[in-house]
Amino acid sequence: MVITDEILYVGAEDRNLDLFESQYPVSDGVTYNSYVILDEKTAVMDTVDNRGTAQWLDNIRKVLDGRKPDYLVISHMEPDHGANIARFVEAYPEAVIVGNAKTFPMISQFFDLNLTGRTLTVKEGGTLSLGRHTLQFLMAPMVHWPEAMVAYEQTEKILFSADAFGTFGVNSGLKEQWSEEAARYYLNIVGKYGAQVQALLKKAAALDIQMICPLHGPVLKEDLGYYLDKYQIWSSYEPEQKGVLIASASIHGNTLAAAGELADMLRGRGEECVEVLDLTRTDVSYGVRKAFFYDRVVLACATYDGGLFPCMEEFLAHLKSKNYQKRTVALVENGTWAPGAVRAMRGMLESMKQITIPEPAVTIRSALNEDSRRALEELAEVLVTA
Ligand code: FEO
């Protein structure tokens, strides 16, 4: 695939993967992107996952058309990109491997390779001239591993952005598709490191960027402000949408029914954007994305073994690990003989930053009755003005 006359796509599509990083469902697959820059010197930008080895090596052979690669630039060592470093080193013994001071110790951990005389270590702001093209390297620690770096090609003004601006899916070219799946990708995988992403965005703001080539998903060529704005919102933990997510963890359906009634109460009070999410039937990665999307969340949970129904406990654990913050989170519990979910949810939320828990917390005894329905009405009233 041609990106520009001298920059070509050599990555691999993976349409059959069940779980990316062994945890995220990818119904539309994922791509492992890699690029070749053709110039007086040739550079391959990253390798691909083991699942794409044959396709990638074949793509490189075709694009190079008899030439040998001079450089392999390693922007990120995670195996969805770095898995083929040893194969590349063996296939192209003249090529120099380009990384930073944190890259090469990781290569030694993953592979038993002798790279003596074959490495080029770059630093913040360092450049590598290929002829007409010059790569400028910017360190991007924790976006998404410590050794991550991005490369800005100065002539064509292209940012090779590593995991940043990546997304799940092999068909995520439209902005709307991109923003859903890129948000799920970003918030679940890189979400913990908002401060580090902000630092990278500051560096990017000083560059004239005409195109972004990430390591997953489509190359971004138009309306780059849209994508940069999304990253600004996500990395600063701000909500994207005024609205309420009601996340339900219901065993037999009574808690879910209460979530539905609360949604109707909110809509009846003029709340335009209300979504009920059944955590028992939804992968937690989608729940995390939605919790970050809205400014207010209601957690409605059945009591289980004196604590939380497991999918709610998992949901909150994920939110905590992704640095969830700056939200209003209301609580609804159900319990037939000893309701304890509100106490447990409150305990988990107290360890997160800037979480406001409005009153009342609502207790349902088995199924909604007149008293608990009234309490839900009261909570709806509080939420629409929160
Ligand atoms: Fe796509 Fe952090 O690897």
Side-chain angles (χ1 to χ4, degrees), residues 76 78 80-81 144 163 185 216:
H76 186 18
E78 193 167 10
D80 51 327
H81 310 294
H144 134 244
D163 271 343
Y185 174 92
H216 300 287

Side-chain angles (χ1 to χ4, degrees), residues 20-21 30-33 76-82 143-145 147-148 162-164 166 185 189-190 215-216:
F20 181 74
E21 290 185 359
V30 68
T31 68
Y32 315 112
N33 296 347
H76 186 18
M77 277 302 297
E78 193 167 10
D80 51 327
H81 310 294
V143 188
H144 134 244
W145 278 17
E147 87 304 349
D163 271 343
Y185 174 92
I189 294 175
V190 192
L215 286 177
H216 300 287

Side-chain angles (χ1 to χ4, degrees), residues 85-212:
I85 292 171
R87 286 191 193 91
F88 181 93
V89 164
E90 282 154 20
Y92 298 109
E94 300 88 5
V96 169
I97 312 304
V98 182
N100 59 61
K102 292 181 180 157
T103 311
F104 294 106
M106 285 193 187
I107 291 181
S108 302
Q109 289 174 198
F110 278 106
F111 307 104
D112 183 16
L113 284 174
N114 181 0
L115 292 178
T116 307
R118 295 188 58 184
T119 62
L120 175 64
T121 303
V122 296
K123 293 182 180 163
E124 176 72 22
T127 57
L128 173 64
S129 174
L130 304 173
R132 205 174 76 80
H133 296 85
T134 298
L135 293 170
Q136 179 183 1
F137 298 97
L138 304 168
M139 301 302 117
M142 301 320 294
V143 188
H144 134 244
W145 278 17
E147 87 304 349
M149 65 181 187
V150 303
Y152 176 64
E153 199 294 299
Q154 294 174 337
T155 304
E156 303 205 63
K157 304 187 189 311
I158 296 174
L159 183 69
F160 292 93
S161 62
D163 271 343
F165 303 99
T167 183
F168 300 126
V170 301
N171 295 301
S172 46
L174 297 175
K175 272 197 292 202
E176 296 69 27
Q177 286 171 305
W178 182 91
S179 67
E180 271 311 300
E181 282 295 84
R184 188 166 69 93
Y185 174 92
Y186 170 82
L187 294 164
N188 283 281
I189 294 175
V190 192
K192 177 180 170 77
Y193 304 110
Q196 290 86 345
V197 174
Q198 291 265 302
L200 178 60
L201 290 176
K202 275 204 186 82
K203 293 181 191 180
L207 303 170
D208 175 11
I209 299 170
Q210 298 297 316
M211 197 185 297
I212 298 175

